[in-house]
Every structure is written in structure tokens, then in C-alpha cells.
Amino acid sequence: MAREQLNGTAYNWHAFAGRQELAAALAGHVAGRLTKAIAERGTGLLAVSGGTTPAKFFAALSMIPIAWDKVTVTLVDERFVPASSPRSNAGLVAANLLQNAAATARFVPLYHDNASIEDAAVSDSAALQSLSWPLDVVVLGMGTDGHTASFFPDAEELAKLLDPSSERIVLPVHAASAGEPRLTLPLARIVSAGFIALHIEGEEKRTAFEDAMGLGKRKPIRAVIEATQRPVEVFWAR
């Protein structure tokens, strides 16, 4: 593990030779943090990202025997598609995380059958309002363009998404590069979490992360790291 420094904000770099080793290590960290939260306040709140990268991590986490009946799982972001779609983050979580020991966890999705994504964001905010904020654990992913949590560089709402003083819980995202509209937790909700991990794999993602950390770069992932009050734990494997 190496600790790096970015404008006074540290992030910890955890490198692994294989993706299965990364999955096991990240699962152990997340389970430990959730167990600590349950011991301290009787509940744990976990938000995860989707895509294809976290499947092995989800499977590893699902096998760890913590008090899952006291854990609520939600999503960092979601495509505006039903859970039956192969592009659904909720579908990925259901198939890979909410299994085995973790089958008793409560899951709060972001997608609902609304007439518009703006209406869905309002419905989601109401559904998530009653959760035990702030988040205990957030696990983020990152695209090669430096986006994370659907904070796409070309998003129409990017300034609102990255507003550190926002009180919103869920916001809609419209970005040409996203492929379809998205729903996401804004930066203010993410950076208040007790533990934030960034899960990236492959040399291309490592290069993209290093580029985002370069001087003068304003990539969304950099905005998240700069806004956190504690180091982001970056987990990477080839």
C-alpha cells in the first residue's frame, strides 16, 4: 500500500497482482467497516456502483458472515432502465451481492417506473430520506474518461452534481456519453461517507486515474478525492 498526496488530500493506493485477490481484500475492508457501524449504531448503510468491474467483489462480499439483516444496500448510481435490463446496476447487485450470507440485506433501488427521470429522482429521494445517513461505506468505480458515480464530464447537471453543499439525495443525469439518462447520489452525499473506496482494474484505468490526478486536470474523480475529509482507498489490479 502506498499513500499519495493530492493538494493536501491523501489517497491510499492498494495494488494487487490479480483481480480475485483485489476482490477478497476489498470485501474484507467493506465487511469490517459495516460490522463496526452495526456495533456502534445498530445498522450499516452501503452504497455500491455497477458496471462489470465489481462482480467478483460482490461475490466475495456476499460470502462474509456479518449481520446482513442489519445492513441496507443502495446504489451510488443507476441507469434509467428496469432491473431486467442487462445494463441495470440493480440487476448486477441482485445476481452477485444479494446472495449467500448477504441475502438477508435490505436493498433500496434507484430505478422506478416513472414517466420521467426527473420524477424518478424525486421518488428516490423520498425513498432514501429515511435511511440512516450518512453512508457508512461507498464503493465507487471509474470510467476511462475520469467519470465516477455518473458524474460524466459532459453531464448537463455536472455543476449541481459536484456542489459540495447540495442537500439533494438523488439527482438525474443527462450526458451524451452516458448512453441513457442516469440517477445518482450527488458528491455531497458520497464524500460524507465514513469509508470511500475506488475500485479500478486494468492498465487503462490506472493510466486514466493517474492522468486525472495530473496538475490542472478537473476530472470528476479528482473532484471527489479533493472533496473528501479522509483518504480515499484506491484498490487496483491488472
Side-chain angles (χ1 to χ4, degrees):
M1 182 181 74
R3 172 164 291 190
E4 305 292 343
Q5 201 76 19
L6 171 66
N7 294 338
T9 300
Y11 62 90
N12 295 322
W13 182 265
H14 307 258
F16 299 86
R19 300 183 181 187
Q20 199 62 54
E21 292 87 346
L22 182 159
L26 179 55
H29 277 268
V30 171
R33 292 286 176 160
L34 290 174
T35 297
K36 182 175 183 289
I38 293 166
E40 291 177 349
R41 57 195 186 96
T43 186
L45 183 54
L46 166 66
V48 296
S49 58
T52 57
T53 299
K56 286 185 176 65
F57 154 63
F58 287 165
L61 182 57
S62 77
M63 298 295 292
I64 300 178
I66 66 172
W68 283 105
D69 60 326
K70 295 180 172 62
V71 174
T72 297
V73 180
T74 190
L75 293 164
V76 171
D77 61 336
E78 177 64 285
R79 299 172 176 91
F80 196 51
V81 297
S84 58
S85 168
R87 290 179 58 76
S88 166
N89 290 342
L92 181 77
V93 168
N96 296 277
L97 176 55
L98 303 177
Q99 303 289 329
N100 306 308
T104 58
R106 176 191 179 196
F107 179 61
V108 181
L110 296 187
Y111 175 82
H112 300 281
D113 291 322
N114 291 85
S116 71
I117 195 166
E118 287 75 17
D119 290 340
V122 172
S123 298
D124 287 336
S125 294
L128 296 179
Q129 182 69 52
S130 63
L131 299 184
S132 54
W133 297 93
L135 295 161
D136 295 299
V137 179
V138 170
V139 182
L140 300 170
M142 187 196 74
T144 54
D145 59 354
H147 88 264
T148 188
S150 289
F151 303 162
F152 288 89
D154 64 335
E156 297 173 14
E157 304 87 352
L158 188 59
K160 292 180 181 178
L161 298 173
L162 299 181
D163 180 0
S165 63
S166 174
E167 295 184 356
R168 296 290 298 273
I169 298 178
V170 178
L171 285 169
V173 181
H174 300 84
S177 63
E180 65 267 284
R182 307 277 184 111
L183 295 155
T184 190
L185 306 183
L187 177 140
R189 294 286 171 174
I190 290 171
V191 300
S192 66
F195 177 81
I196 303 172
L198 172 64
H199 178 184
I200 55 176
E201 296 179 351
E203 294 293 347
E204 187 177 18
K205 291 284 184 76
R206 177 171 183 160
T207 298
F209 179 79
E210 291 173 346
D211 177 69
M213 297 302 103
L215 291 175
K217 299 299 177 66
R218 300 304 305 167
K219 302 285 187 178
I221 186 60
R222 182 181 180 128
V224 171
I225 289 176
E226 289 182 331
T228 57
Q229 300 301 308
R230 58 194 58 82
V232 171
E233 307 295 328
V234 184
F235 287 75
W236 173 81
R238 288 182 172 81

